[in-house]
Amino acid sequence: MISFAILSQLIGLSSASGTRAGASLLLVAAASHFHYVALPPEMAWMATPEAMGTFVALLAFEMYTQRDADLRLFLGLAQFSLSAASGAVVAMASMGVQTEQLPPWAVGAVGAGIAVATYSMRQRLQDSVGNLETDLAHPYRWLLRMEDFVALAVAAAAILFAPLALALVIVFTVGCVVAGLFARRLEGRSRRPCPAGCGASIRKEASRCPKCRADVPVLVKLELRLAGRAQDAIRGALKSAVDGGATLVRRKTG
């Protein structure tokens, strides 16, 4: 019979893999390397310096690609596969020694399933929050920072005190659902029904419906990017300074 602590540890580590695959692998490997946990003989390779270096590179790769929308879209399948593989590996590493009644493939499948479910939930939340990005507000950046922290916190808690990891996973899941609903509601305020009558919900600043391709009137004009406005302000200030300096020179010479 699987104990509550072992089940909590499996859920915590697998969920962390669905958030940052490299973080859960690295923390399990570090805990084994410093003799805090014991890995099955077939998983001992995780605690080698070479494997730990790979996990660090994997974590850095994840954190970098998550911050670039184009890379995130292009490498979506790779990140999905990494999350699933990491969930399977950490699940087998955490439960392989202590559960004789379950075959390793079943444990790995459960871990991969939890990791994939977490990854899919995150992707839906990221899509909803990404639509709220503006020149002044960057909620997507704060979401990524929160994910980095949560992944490390859940993985560490799964190793140190497994029930806390389960509680964090539940809080994180509920928070993602609530934040996703809130983000969709906010994003819905910037949309309108297609004037052409196709039934699509389009943004107020759209000039063409993406569904029926009909030209529609623009209700809200997009402003220039903040960087462009800042450049214009700097150029205006420099021009004023140059004109003022030239006027002062003319007065002195006159």
Side-chain angles (χ1 to χ4, degrees):
M1 185 67 180
I2 302 176
S3 67
F4 176 73
I6 296 299
L7 183 61
S8 299
Q9 186 178 66
L10 182 147
I11 294 175
L13 289 174
S14 300
S15 297
S17 294
T19 307
R20 296 290 182 270
S24 58
L25 290 169
L26 180 60
L27 287 180
V28 170
S32 175
H33 182 78
F34 292 105
H35 308 290
Y36 191 83
V37 298
L39 295 176
E42 62 272 17
M43 307 295 293
W45 58 269
M46 292 181 63
T48 61
E50 294 82 4
M52 294 176 66
T54 302
F55 299 152
V56 171
L58 175 60
L59 178 59
F61 168 79
E62 286 184 290
M63 295 175 68
Y64 176 76
T65 55
Q66 286 293 317
R67 282 159 174 75
D68 190 299
D70 295 332
L71 284 176
R72 184 164 61 92
L73 181 63
F74 181 71
L75 299 174
L77 181 59
Q79 292 175 337
F80 178 90
S81 302
L82 286 174
S83 295
S86 174
V89 170
V90 296
M92 291 187 291
S94 62
M95 295 186 65
V97 174
Q98 305 173 55
T99 56
E100 299 292 340
Q101 67 272 31
L102 289 178
W105 65 265
V107 176
V110 172
I114 295 174
V116 167
T118 304
Y119 175 84
S120 300
M121 179 181 65
R122 283 180 46 244
Q123 289 298 104
R124 288 194 294 269
L125 177 60
Q126 288 180 357
D127 292 340
S128 299
V129 173
N131 292 329
L132 301 178
E133 285 284 304
T134 65
D135 291 335
L136 299 177
H138 304 284
Y140 185 75
R141 295 181 186 176
W142 289 102
L143 175 63
L144 292 180
R145 292 170 185 169
M146 183 194 70
E147 287 183 350
D148 293 338
F149 173 78
V150 169
L152 293 172
V154 170
I159 296 171
L160 299 174
F161 186 61
L164 176 60
L166 179 60
L168 290 176
V169 169
I170 295 174
V171 171
F172 178 67
T173 302
V174 173
C176 284
V177 173
V178 173
L181 293 174
F182 182 70
R184 281 193 290 272
R185 178 168 294 184
L186 284 180
E187 203 268 339
R189 294 181 179 178
S190 63
R191 291 184 174 271
R192 53 173 170 155
C194 174
C198 71
S201 178
I202 63 175
R203 298 188 67 87
K204 294 181 179 179
E205 61 268 20
S207 60
R208 176 175 294 180
C209 175
K211 182 179 179 180
C212 65
R213 301 295 180 182
D215 292 332
V216 297
V218 177
L219 297 185
V220 177
K221 292 185 178 181
L222 289 174
E223 297 180 0
L224 295 174
R225 295 181 59 186
L226 181 61
R229 293 199 299 269
Q231 291 176 1
D232 292 340
I234 293 174
R235 288 171 182 167
L238 290 175
K239 185 176 183 303
S240 299
V242 171
D243 292 343
T247 302
L248 182 61
V249 170
R250 285 196 299 268
R251 288 177 179 176
K252 288 184 177 181
T253 56

